[in-house]
């Protein structure tokens, strides 16, 4: 991991804080992440750093083909499609395109006509408009279900999914569905997750890719 | 609270999910938020909804003058200044300006010259450029310290601060410092906090203001 870039810190003071935080996080997650690869440990470390919640080390689940698939996809600057704009604006170091269609007028129209969420409509819209890339869901379980459905029908070209929607209704089930699919994935078991978790995961992967 | 707008849901399906989630959240936070006003309970409810972490109901601390000050400031469309862009893009229903200076070239220059974080430099930059409004810190303790210092030196015109930076280094202390200041504030005790907490808090306040 490039020392200067750690956790996005760009000044001496920011860098010192990040390093000290890193030590604390590593001591907190050590036991739970023993079985993980270095790249996977980096992801967990960054998630716990971003949430100050070490329970995430127990809740994360990463499919065996996840890291290899993502390093290839990110190296090829595949498009990153996020469910909401907050997630998009957290991904600051990517050389490829980061896209979010939630406010697209066509998406709003699809949602209205089909009576589905705008987050689900945005995935449908992407699939119909030749999207090839990576899907990052930090919030909407409906977006995750839509992506899995389209993948199973061969209607979307996906490298992998970061599937970490947060919430007490639907989120846990949608993540289990992703885990049980053939899509390379990372999920957080149970209701927890959200924007910082999604962003931490993607930024860690980008950093790993750039350091190789 | 406008039923149609609850939690930003804008379709029937999104609305049903939000309502069911709301019931669960209310049952989880009931005991810990008994002593709070309706407006304060709404804030806690939205934070727990956004994080799926009911511990926040135990960690939140709201100064007595906080809600009154914010309703007045938001009604007057005072500028909201956020520490990072992720927070800015989570605030989607405000009629006033939402600003973030972290990428401003002058801010980057101030940070370099004074060897401080860009987040702290951004607060300094705002104060020097006639900022009057509300500061929302979801991530950088250094931004919070800078805002408190400027306020105590009468160098910034502040209505209130949402001070919920996340992290194991500096975050908890910076929030205690805010709590002990004269600035109307909301904080999360300890290391937890972050972007979704800051956004949940502000969006709840905006919704309360609009419903009055």
């Amino acid at each position: 991991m490039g020392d200067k870039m750690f956790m996005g810190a760009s000044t001496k003071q920011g860098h010192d804080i990040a390093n000290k935080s890193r030590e604390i996080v590593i001591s907190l997650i050590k036991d739970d992440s023993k079985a993980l690869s270095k790249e996977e440990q980096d992801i967990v470390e960054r998630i716990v750093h971003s949430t100050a919640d070490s329970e995430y080390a127990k809740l994360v689940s990463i499919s065996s083909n996840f890291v290899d698939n993502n390093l290839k996809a990110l190296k090829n600057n595949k498009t990153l499609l996020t469910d909401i704009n907050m997630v998009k604006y957290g991904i600051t170091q990517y050389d490829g395109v980061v896209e979010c269609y939630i406010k697209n007028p066509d998406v709003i129209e699809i949602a209205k006509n089909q009576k589905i969420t705008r987050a689900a409509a945005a995935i449908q819209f992407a699939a119909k408009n030749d999207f090839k890339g990576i899907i990052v869901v930090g919030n909407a379980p409906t977006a995750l279900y839509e992506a899995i459905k389209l993948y199973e029908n061969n209607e979307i070209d996906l490298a992998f999914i970061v599937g970490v929607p947060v919430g007490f209704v639907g989120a846990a089930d949608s993540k289990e569905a992703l885990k049980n699919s053939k899509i390379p994935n990372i999920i957080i078991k149970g209701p927890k997750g959200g924007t910082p978790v999604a962003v931490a995961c993607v930024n860690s992967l980008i950093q790993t890719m750039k350091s190789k």
Side-chain angles (χ1 to χ4, degrees), chain A:
Chain A
M1 188 176 292
D3 212 37
K4 265 196 175 153
M5 292 286 294
F6 182 64
M7 302 300 179
S10 56
T11 62
K12 173 81 171 68
Q13 197 187 350
H15 184 52
D16 290 347
I17 294 169
N19 269 339
K20 208 169 156 189
S21 167
R22 191 178 187 188
E23 282 173 33
I24 297 170
V25 171
I26 288 173
S27 74
L28 288 170
I29 67 173
K30 216 169 40 189
D31 291 343
D32 290 313
S33 56
K34 257 191 297 220
L36 302 179
S37 71
K38 174 73 178 68
E39 291 84 357
E40 292 168 338
Q41 281 175 0
D42 283 348
I43 295 170
V44 176
E45 182 190 319
R46 190 140 182 164
I47 291 172
V48 173
H49 173 89
S50 305
T51 56
D53 184 351
S54 59
E55 199 194 352
Y56 278 106
K58 293 184 202 299
L59 301 177
V60 72
S61 163
I62 306 175
S63 71
S64 58
N65 51 1
F66 179 70
V67 169
D68 282 351
N69 264 280
N70 78 58
L71 293 184
K72 216 185 306 166
L74 294 173
K75 206 140 219 158
N76 291 327
N77 287 334
K78 290 262 187 190
T79 297
L80 281 167
L81 178 66
T82 67
D83 61 338
I84 62 168
N85 275 310
M86 268 170 84
V87 175
K88 174 176 168 179
Y89 284 95
I91 302 166
T92 52
Q93 312 278 341
Y94 192 45
D95 296 328
V97 173
V98 187
E99 198 70 85
C100 176
Y101 294 126
I102 195 109
K103 288 190 170 178
N104 183 301
D106 291 342
V107 166
I108 295 169
E109 197 59 29
I110 294 170
K112 212 182 285 175
N113 291 339
Q114 299 186 25
K115 298 192 198 315
I116 58 175
T117 66
R118 285 200 278 152
I123 305 290
Q124 217 180 91
F125 174 81
K128 277 187 192 137
N129 287 276
D130 292 324
F131 166 79
K132 288 173 207 281
I134 299 138
I135 290 184
V136 186
V137 178
N139 299 271
T142 52
L144 211 44
Y145 281 124
E146 192 70 26
I148 298 166
K149 192 183 77 184
L150 291 167
Y151 182 86
E152 284 173 352
N153 294 340
N154 286 314
E155 289 173 329
I156 197 163
D157 190 348
L158 270 179
F160 67 89
I161 296 186
V162 174
V164 295
V166 60
F168 293 104
V169 181
D173 289 345
S174 73
K175 291 181 283 189
E176 277 302 310
L178 175 60
K179 191 178 172 221
N180 295 330
S181 77
K182 291 197 177 109
I183 309 168
N185 69 80
I186 181 169
I187 66 149
I188 300 295
K189 287 172 265 182
K192 283 189 179 178
T195 295
V197 179
V199 167
C201 181
V202 174
N203 284 340
S204 175
L205 294 169
I206 291 169
Q207 200 150 33
T208 298
M209 180 269 291
K210 287 193 173 178
S211 69
K212 296 240 170 198

